[in-house]
Amino acid sequence: MARDFIFVFILLVTFTIINAIPFHKRTAFFGPCPNVEDTFSVKMDPDPLISPHLTTITITGKEVSGLIIGPLASLVVTIGATGPVQTPSAFPVCNATDCPIFSGTEYTTSGTFILNATLPKSYQVVLTIGNLNSSSPQMTFLHDQILACALATIET
Ligand SMILES: *[C@@H]1O[C@H](CO)[C@@H](O)[C@H](O)[C@H]1NC(C)=O
Ligand SMILES: *[C@@H]1O[C@H](CO)[C@@H](O)[C@H](O)[C@H]1NC(C)=O
Ligand SMILES: *[C@@H]1O[C@H](CO)[C@@H](O)[C@H](O)[C@H]1NC(C)=O
């Protein structure tokens, strides 16, 4: 009786360890972008990314440089290697109750999109906040100004 229990217990522990290994190995690490002072923390779901899959990105941050996130600010999600592999997605950053977001105020926002690109072996996830230039056919920011940014390089 006791021996059966120990056997089942060992089996369970083994399964838990096997399941835990690939999970911790490839979790994305986000850091600040070159030449952009403001950044934020990022949670991706799922992490690591799966394609095709519904993907949610949640960011939490606080501007420190004095830049203000206004009602036109968007979070743009770009996934690419040498060029984008997926059409960038854009989501509003301000919400109706808390806009504009002044420097020193914590904010959080999330966006959900369908990731359907063929992911290369090595790629970057770049998250930028800026005011979208509506007269540009590409997703560019007014005056090319990035208000905050975070990026992760993912190797599979
Ligand atoms: C707006 O953001 C604040 C915090 O940043 C949050 O408490 C509030 O629930 C949000 N409102 C909506 C409608 O998302
Ligand atoms: C991904 O989805 C978009 C929009 O539905 C579509 O235009 C595009 O062709 C799809 N790409 C791939 C690689 O399936
Ligand atoms: C917006 O995009 C248009 C077209 O690309 C460009 O001519 C214009 O200079 C941009 N405006 C700003 C403020 O960046």
Side-chain angles (χ1 to χ4, degrees):
M1 194 53 182
R3 192 179 294 170
D4 282 353
F5 176 77
I6 289 168
F7 177 72
V8 168
F9 182 74
I10 289 171
L11 213 62
L12 275 176
V13 168
T14 309
F15 279 134
T16 310
I17 291 170
I18 288 170
N19 279 328
I21 290 169
F23 211 73
H24 288 295
K25 212 172 75 181
R26 293 201 217 136
T27 302
F29 174 77
F30 281 86
C33 304
N35 306 318
V36 182
E37 190 176 346
D38 288 304
T39 189
F40 39 77
S41 61
V42 182
K43 197 178 153 292
M44 291 197 307
D45 183 24
D47 186 2
L49 294 176
I50 300 166
S51 182
H53 205 281
L54 201 61
T55 305
T56 299
I57 288 185
T58 306
I59 66 162
T60 303
K62 194 196 285 185
E63 297 286 279
V64 293
S65 68
L67 294 172
I68 296 164
I69 296 174
L72 296 176
S74 295
L75 169 69
V76 175
V77 179
T78 310
I79 297 170
T82 47
V85 293
Q86 163 99 7
T87 308
S89 308
F91 308 97
V93 181
C94 274
N95 70 27
T97 47
D98 306 282
C99 205
I101 302 161
F102 293 105
S103 203
T105 305
E106 190 175 86
Y107 62 92
T108 186
T109 194
S110 73
T112 298
F113 60 97
I114 295 170
L115 175 64
N116 68 350
T118 305
L119 293 172
K121 273 201 157 338
S122 166
Y123 59 95
Q124 280 194 323
V125 180
V126 184
L127 307 176
T128 46
I129 295 176
N131 298 308
L132 282 179
N133 180 348
S134 54
S135 36
S136 166
Q138 283 90 30
M139 275 193 201
T140 60
F141 294 139
L142 292 173
H143 311 293
D144 292 323
Q145 186 186 37
I146 298 172
L147 301 172
C149 180
L151 69 81
T153 301
I154 292 157
E155 313 273 350
T156 55

